[in-house]
């Protein structure tokens, strides 16, 4: 075909194409997206949901990092040989019922189907046997073991050769294992209580402290307490609490002394400003409050066991202040806004006088820099104080706008109205107390049992 004819043919095809009806644009093809499974179900093998009452054991070899490399190998080998020796018994017979993970200087055992296969006492005996196994031989190794009962599940990330246990129960056990002394099993009170529900014997007598004494409380997170008891294999001579628990007691005594000194300093300030107050003893109570999670969706500022009153009045009574943007009540405002809050000159609360109650509630809640408490909450106060001086304390810089709240707050409630003072004067006094005691109190607060 000649070049001229080829050009004419190309033009005719282009003209015919332009005369055709325009084509409708193609619809975009939607890409099918497979729904993503929850983390606990993206595993190979058994699809296990998060268990609400699983057994967890975590142990670590004492002073592992100080051992020579050769002894570290021997210690880890001996520890895992205990699992191998017990592989055929009821606890480790079926690998589908449990997860074992190494922790570098120890191991973690999380057991799922305990309700039908094993009992609480078997788990404790297994932990005690682990301690005895490590103490054998010419060169014994010491072990710390923690046992608890709580929710966990497992995942198997891509590339991992074994399942990994995750969950609240694992986190709690990892913290409590550090509390006990060497060759001791630290057991959560929840584990013991559930054991007691399935056993007629008073099994708490096997632990320290025994059933007639309260368990030891430690703080595993901000506002979250965990009650603990201790168990040791027969013949190891466990007679008292661990050394760390004893050190917690010393710190708690120092906190109590700080509150006592704070009361005396406040009395001196008030007497210096108004000498006539010396004629009547001031009725002062000082309380430490910190944040506590009430449920997965709500938190509140709650009173703690650290309360000081010269006559012991109202020490056991407590109030929960819901955590809002402005805070509820004077102490809630101090905590939520990281500032000083003072309320004074409130009317006297008379139990048999509804008018005095109404006046108290109105002046306590109206035109205040905080959200009001409900009437039932105010009626239920252990003490209807007539003046409140409150301030926050924190070791780190608090910024409520970024949800970085203080470590806690101090509430000083006084039964006298302090009507001879202005709010500005009382704010200055409160600021002086905060400046003098806040830092020391914040440091002691972190040391009182925080894991």
């Amino acid at each position: 075909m000649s070049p001229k004819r080829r050009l004419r043919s190309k033009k005719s095809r282009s003209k015919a194409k332009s005369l055709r009806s325009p084509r409708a644009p193609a619809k975009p093809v939607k890409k099918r997206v497979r729904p993503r499974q929850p983390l606990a179900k993206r595993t190979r093998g058994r699809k296990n949901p998060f268990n609400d009452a699983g057994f967890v054991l975590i142990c670590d070899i004492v002073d592992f990092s100080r051992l020579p490399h050769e002894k570290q190998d021997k210690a880890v080998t001996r520890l895992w040989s205990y699992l191998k020796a017990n592989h055929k018994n009821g606890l480790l017979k079926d690998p589908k019922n449990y997860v074992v993970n190494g922790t570098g200087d120890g191991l973690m055992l999380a057991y799922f189907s305990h309700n039908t296969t094993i009992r609480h006492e078997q788990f404790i005996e297994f932990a005690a046997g682990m301690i005895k196994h490590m103490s054998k031989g010419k060169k014994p190794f010491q072990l710390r073991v923690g046992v608890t009962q709580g929710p966990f599940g497992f995942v198997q990330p891509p590339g991992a050769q074994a399942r990994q246990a995750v969950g609240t129960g694992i986190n709690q056990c990892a913290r409590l294992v550090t509390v006990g002394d060497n060759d001791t099993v630290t057991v959560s009170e929840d584990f013991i209580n559930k054991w007691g529900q399935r056993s007629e014997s008073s099994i708490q007598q096997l632990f320290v402290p025994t059933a007639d004494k309260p368990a030891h409380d430690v703080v595993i997170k901000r506002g979250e307490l965990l009650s603990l008891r201790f168990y040791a294999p027969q013949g190891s001579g466990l007679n008292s609490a661990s050394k760390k628990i004893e050190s917690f007691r010393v710190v708690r005594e120092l906190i109590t002394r700080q509150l006592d000194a704070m009361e005396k300093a406040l009395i001196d300030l008030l007497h210096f400003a108004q000498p006539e107050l010396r004629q009547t003893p001031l009725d002062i109570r000082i309380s430490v409050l910190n944040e506590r999670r009430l449920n997965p969706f709500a938190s509140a500022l709650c009173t703690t066991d650290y309360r000081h009153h010269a006559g012991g009045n109202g020490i056991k009574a407590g109030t929960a202040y819901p955590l809002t943007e402005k805070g509820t009540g004077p102490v809630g405002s101090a905590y939520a806004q990281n500032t000083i809050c003072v309320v004074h000159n409130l009317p006297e609360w008379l139990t048999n006088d509804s008018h005095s109650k109404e006046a108290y509630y109105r002046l306590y809640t109206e035109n205040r820099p905080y959200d009001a408490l409900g009437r039932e909450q105010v009626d239920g106060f252990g003490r209807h104080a007539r003046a409140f001086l409150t301030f926050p304390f924190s070791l780190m810089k608090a910024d409520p706008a970024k949800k970085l709240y203080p470590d806690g707050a101090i509430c000083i409630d006084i039964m006298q109205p302090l009507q001879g003072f202005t709010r500005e004067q009382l704010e200055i006094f409160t600021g002086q107390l905060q400046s003098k005691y806040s830092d020391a109190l914040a440091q002691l607060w972190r040391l009182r049992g925080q894991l």
Side-chain angles (χ1 to χ4, degrees):
M1 183 183 295
S2 64
K4 187 180 288 186
R5 189 172 178 181
R6 189 183 297 114
L7 180 62
R8 194 182 303 123
S9 176
K10 187 175 181 181
K11 287 182 178 180
S12 63
R13 286 199 305 270
S14 176
K15 184 177 180 180
K17 185 176 181 181
S18 64
L19 293 175
R20 294 176 194 159
S21 59
R23 228 180 193 183
K27 293 182 179 181
V29 179
K30 290 185 177 180
K31 186 178 179 180
R32 289 188 63 184
V33 179
R34 189 175 180 179
R36 191 173 177 82
Q37 290 182 324
L39 180 63
K41 292 189 176 182
R42 297 199 304 271
T43 63
R44 283 175 274 172
R46 185 180 175 188
K47 306 293 190 295
N48 180 271
F50 276 69
N51 194 300
D52 61 350
F55 287 167
V56 182
L57 179 152
I58 295 180
C59 68
D60 62 40
I61 301 167
V62 177
D63 291 335
F64 183 81
S65 59
R66 297 181 181 180
L67 295 175
H69 180 70
E70 297 77 11
K71 288 189 176 181
Q72 288 182 347
D73 289 346
K74 291 180 179 180
V76 172
T77 302
R78 184 182 297 182
L79 179 61
W80 283 86
S81 69
Y82 179 73
L83 298 185
K84 185 177 180 180
N86 290 270
H87 187 70
K88 294 183 179 181
N89 70 11
L91 192 65
L92 302 177
K93 189 174 182 180
D94 189 355
K96 293 182 180 179
N97 289 334
Y98 62 88
V99 174
V100 178
N101 297 144
T103 60
D105 61 348
L107 59 84
M108 183 278 305
L109 170 64
Y111 204 94
F112 298 110
S113 305
H114 61 277
N115 287 325
T116 57
T117 55
I118 66 168
R119 300 183 302 274
H120 291 75
E121 51 267 35
Q122 285 180 280
F123 215 69
I124 291 293
E125 290 171 1
F126 184 85
M130 184 178 292
I131 292 175
K132 291 180 179 179
H133 178 79
M134 294 296 291
S135 64
K136 293 178 180 179
K138 295 181 179 180
K139 296 181 180 179
F141 297 98
Q142 291 185 310
L143 206 64
R144 280 190 298 261
V145 184
V147 171
T148 188
Q149 187 167 353
F152 70 88
F154 65 84
V155 296
Q156 189 162 353
Q161 296 181 356
R163 298 179 295 180
Q164 303 294 316
V166 294
T168 304
I170 308 297
N171 294 342
Q172 286 185 352
C173 195
R175 290 185 172 93
L176 67 86
V177 73
T178 64
V179 180
D181 288 336
N182 302 344
D183 293 339
T184 301
V185 183
T186 306
V187 187
S188 68
E189 182 77 343
D190 187 51
F191 180 94
I192 297 174
N193 289 337
K194 290 178 180 177
W195 183 355
Q197 293 171 6
R198 300 177 60 186
S199 175
E200 296 180 357
S201 61
S202 181
I203 50 88
Q204 284 90 342
Q205 297 300 330
L206 301 173
F207 298 89
V208 174
T210 51
D212 57 334
K213 298 178 181 179
H216 301 294
D217 289 334
V218 297
V219 183
I220 58 172
K221 284 185 179 180
R222 291 181 59 180
E224 186 178 350
L225 294 175
L226 191 63
S227 298
L228 306 176
R229 297 184 191 269
F230 302 96
Y231 175 82
Q234 294 181 356
S236 58
L238 178 65
N239 297 315
S240 61
S242 70
K243 295 180 179 65
K244 185 170 284 189
I245 290 291
E246 295 296 341
S247 66
F248 291 164
R249 289 175 178 170
V250 173
V251 173
R252 292 173 182 180
E253 178 62 28
L254 292 175
I255 294 176
T256 303
R257 293 180 185 179
Q258 286 285 309
L259 300 183
D260 181 61
M262 194 183 302
E263 179 195 24
K264 293 177 180 177
L266 175 61
I267 292 175
D268 290 342
L269 289 171
L270 296 176
H271 284 175
F272 181 80
Q274 288 191 9
E276 59 271 19
L277 288 177
R278 298 177 184 272
Q279 300 176 4
T280 305
L282 293 171
D283 189 350
I284 298 174
R285 181 181 67 176
I286 304 179
S287 305
V288 183
L289 297 91
N290 72 337
E291 183 182 344
R292 188 174 303 168
R293 185 164 294 279
L294 303 179
N295 56 58
F297 309 102
S299 297
L301 190 67
C302 300
T303 52
T304 66
D305 293 335
Y306 298 92
R307 313 191 79 181
H308 174 75
H309 185 269
N313 184 19
I315 296 299
K316 294 184 179 181
T319 305
Y321 298 88
L323 190 60
T324 62
E325 184 176 352
K326 292 172 62 178
T328 50
V331 68
S333 173
Y335 181 80
Q337 302 181 44
N338 193 34
T339 186
I340 291 171
C341 184
V342 170
V343 175
H344 76 301
N345 206 19
L346 295 175
E348 185 178 5
W349 177 282
L350 300 176
T351 306
N352 298 322
D353 186 356
S354 60
H355 295 289
S356 71
K357 293 181 179 180
E358 185 62 35
Y360 183 95
Y361 180 75
R362 178 169 49 82
L363 292 176
Y364 179 79
T365 56
E366 286 185 355
N367 302 319
R368 300 298 183 188
Y370 52 78
D371 293 328
L373 287 170
R375 182 60 184 267
E376 292 184 0
Q377 277 189 292
V378 176
D379 289 346
F381 280 174
R383 284 164 44 107
H384 289 87
R386 302 179 66 182
F388 295 88
L389 314 180
T390 64
F391 64 86
F393 64 87
S394 183
L395 199 59
M396 307 297 290
K397 184 177 180 181
D399 188 356
K402 298 180 180 179
K403 302 299 181 182
L404 300 175
Y405 292 105
D407 291 334
I410 294 293
C411 179
I412 305 173
D413 61 82
I414 309 168
M415 295 303 292
Q416 286 76 18
L418 304 182
Q419 70 270 20
F421 296 92
T422 64
R423 182 170 60 84
E424 289 74 16
Q425 282 180 300
L426 295 177
E427 286 179 348
I428 292 174
F429 294 161
T430 306
Q432 290 176 338
L433 294 177
Q434 183 186 30
S435 176
K436 185 174 182 179
Y437 295 100
S438 178
D439 290 344
L441 186 61
Q443 293 181 30
L444 291 171
W445 192 250
R446 291 287 184 96
L447 294 172
R448 78 195 189 284
Q450 181 79 47
L451 302 181

